[in-house]
């Protein structure tokens, strides 16, 4: 999980210059031209008009912007190869700033697209080795939005995505699309019936000497709760390492594997089923592995299908 330190509460007023021809909706003095204020990670951001040039610095952020109907404003993106299939055609002609989200692209690389707004799901996109401090970015004329589930010190839930959709819909002049997306995602979540028995699940994010897990403040912890399960390591709050001996003691009923580029699910399962110290663990003996793409566990539009996958794996 990426981490960064966010600035204290402040109001940032940016004069966003409109791009494009005379058909620009802000030129007509409509709703998009009216100042709007949204709260993000405890900070208040005021916009004099809707941003016209957007860069998305994560796959989940890209999907949200496209789902809100903002393709024409998307001037650059990161890691588009993992995008949901329904948005693949929308990516035609969009500049690819970086093919991979890890490590995050440099400030110079991102600002080369001349964005007015950067939207990300990862806090270290605003770290010293990437875009840097968000307040400093604003002073330079670039505003930013971090999907709320990734705010530092915050316990992520699906409700964060509802808030993000409404915030971004308001900011971008697409409130109706935002409401529709919230209703769709809420319907998907509410339709999933949790399992009984409160099975214990270990979330495995790679690692051989010591396994890593995203922690109980991550979105996947909320998904486990909604699925009727519990996190095997609730005391681990942030992304970090545990040890195999303790995993054996806790004996999880299932292991959720985050399928990711640096350790694909097949590789992870092959390791877990052959690593001698954990062969007595119930999840390993019964080969109860739940494979979830890593982006499905991030704040965004995929929470419904992630929850369905988890419940199906526990059933």
């Amino acid at each position: 999980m990426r981490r960064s330190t966010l600035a204290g509460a402040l109001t940032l007023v940016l004069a966003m210059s409109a791009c494009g021809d005379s058909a620009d909706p802000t030129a007509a003095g409509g709703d998009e031209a009216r100042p709007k204020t949204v709260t993000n990670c405890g900070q208040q951001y005021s916009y004099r008009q809707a941003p016209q040039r957007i860069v998305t610095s994560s796959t989940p952020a890209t999907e949200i912007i496209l789902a809100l109907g903002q393709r024409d404003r998307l001037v650059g993106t990161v890691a588009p190869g993992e995008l949901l299939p329904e948005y693949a055609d929308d990516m035609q002609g969009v500049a690819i700033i970086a093919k991979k989200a890890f490590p995050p692209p440099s400030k110079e690389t991102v600002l080369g697209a001349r964005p007015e707004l950067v939207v990300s799901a990862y806090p270290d996109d605003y770290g010293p080795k990437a875009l840097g401090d968000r307040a400093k970015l604003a002073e330079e004329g670039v505003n930013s939005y971090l999907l709320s589930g990734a705010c530092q010190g915050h316990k992520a839930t699906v409700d964060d995505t509802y808030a993000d959709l409404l915030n971004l819909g308001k900011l971008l002049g697409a409130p109706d699309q935002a409401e529709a997306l919230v209703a769709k995602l809420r319907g998907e979540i509410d339709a999933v019936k949790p399992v009984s028995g409160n099975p214990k699940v270990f979330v495995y994010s790679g690692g051989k000497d010591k396994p890593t897990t995203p922690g109980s403040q991550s979105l996947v912890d909320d998904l486990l709760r909604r699925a009727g399960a519990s996190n095997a390591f609730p005391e681990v709050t942030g992304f970090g390492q545990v040890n195999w001996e303790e995993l054996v003691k806790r004996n999880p009923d299932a292991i959720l594997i985050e399928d990711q580029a640096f350790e694909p699910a097949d590789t992870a399962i092959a390791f877990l089923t052959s690593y001698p110290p954990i062969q007595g663990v119930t999840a390993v003996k019964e080969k109860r592995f739940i494979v979830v793409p890593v982006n499905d566990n991030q704040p965004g539009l995929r929470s419904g299908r992630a929850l369905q996958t988890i419940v199906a794996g526990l059933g």
Side-chain angles (χ1 to χ4, degrees):
M1 180 180 294
R2 299 177 170 189
R3 302 178 67 90
S4 69
T5 301
L6 301 179
L10 72 164
T11 300
L12 304 174
V13 182
L14 301 182
M16 298 292 190
S17 58
C19 299
D21 57 25
S22 59
D24 185 342
T26 61
D31 182 65
E32 290 191 4
R34 299 190 186 102
K36 299 176 179 66
T37 299
V38 298
T39 300
N40 180 224
C41 296
Q43 302 179 21
Q44 234 183 10
Y45 294 83
S46 294
Y47 299 76
R48 292 182 182 174
Q49 65 183 37
Q52 299 299 303
R53 296 182 64 83
I54 303 170
V55 164
T56 51
S57 195
S58 70
T59 300
T62 302
E63 291 167 352
I64 286 177
I65 293 301
L66 292 176
L68 285 169
Q70 304 301 306
R71 163 62 182 82
D72 291 343
R73 295 178 182 178
L74 187 61
V75 296
T77 189
V78 172
E82 300 169 358
L83 213 63
L84 288 169
E86 56 262 41
Y87 301 116
D89 290 344
D90 292 334
M91 291 305 298
Q92 296 296 322
V94 176
I96 308 304
I97 292 174
K99 292 183 179 180
K100 297 181 180 179
F102 299 93
S106 69
K107 181 176 182 177
E108 293 73 21
T109 299
V110 176
L111 296 191
R114 298 184 294 114
E116 296 173 350
L117 173 68
V118 176
V119 183
S120 177
Y122 303 121
D124 69 344
D125 282 330
Y126 304 120
K129 294 183 179 180
L131 285 167
D133 182 74
R134 296 176 67 187
K136 178 64 174 176
L137 271 180
E139 292 173 4
E140 298 171 353
V142 181
N143 216 333
S144 58
Y145 194 94
L146 178 63
L147 299 186
S148 302
C151 294
Q152 187 178 20
H154 175 69
K155 163 61 179 165
T157 72
V158 174
D159 293 336
D160 294 321
T161 298
Y162 304 152
D164 289 332
L165 288 168
L166 296 176
N167 271 346
L168 290 167
K170 174 184 177 182
L171 170 62
L172 297 169
D176 292 342
Q177 292 96 321
E179 292 280 2
L181 287 169
V182 169
K184 180 177 182 293
L185 181 57
R186 193 187 300 276
E188 292 173 356
I189 295 293
D190 292 347
V192 178
K193 183 179 179 181
V195 301
S196 59
N198 191 32
K200 188 186 302 180
V201 179
F202 173 58
V203 183
Y204 177 66
S205 299
K208 292 182 170 58
D209 293 335
K210 287 187 175 182
T212 54
T213 190
S216 60
Q217 287 193 320
S218 66
L219 178 64
V220 68
D221 186 85
D222 183 54
L223 294 175
L224 289 177
R225 179 187 62 80
R226 293 172 185 268
S230 60
N231 191 328
F233 286 88
E235 76 280 13
V236 179
T237 55
F239 188 86
Q241 293 181 321
V242 295
N243 63 71
W244 295 114
E245 293 81 4
E246 189 60 31
L247 178 69
V248 172
K249 291 178 184 178
R250 301 194 184 192
N251 193 28
D253 302 292
I255 297 177
L256 188 154
I257 295 173
E258 292 192 321
D259 189 16
Q260 45 197 322
F262 76 87
E263 188 169 355
D266 288 348
T267 301
I269 292 172
F271 166 69
L272 293 171
T273 53
S274 62
Y275 187 53
I278 62 171
Q279 296 310 297
V281 172
T282 298
V284 178
K285 286 194 301 183
E286 297 182 357
K287 293 183 171 55
R288 181 161 288 190
F289 301 111
I290 305 168
V291 177
V292 180
V294 65
N295 280 320
D296 286 25
N297 283 337
Q298 303 298 322
L301 300 176
R302 304 179 179 215
S303 296
R305 80 172 195 175
L307 183 57
Q308 292 169 5
T309 300
I310 293 170
V311 168
L314 294 172

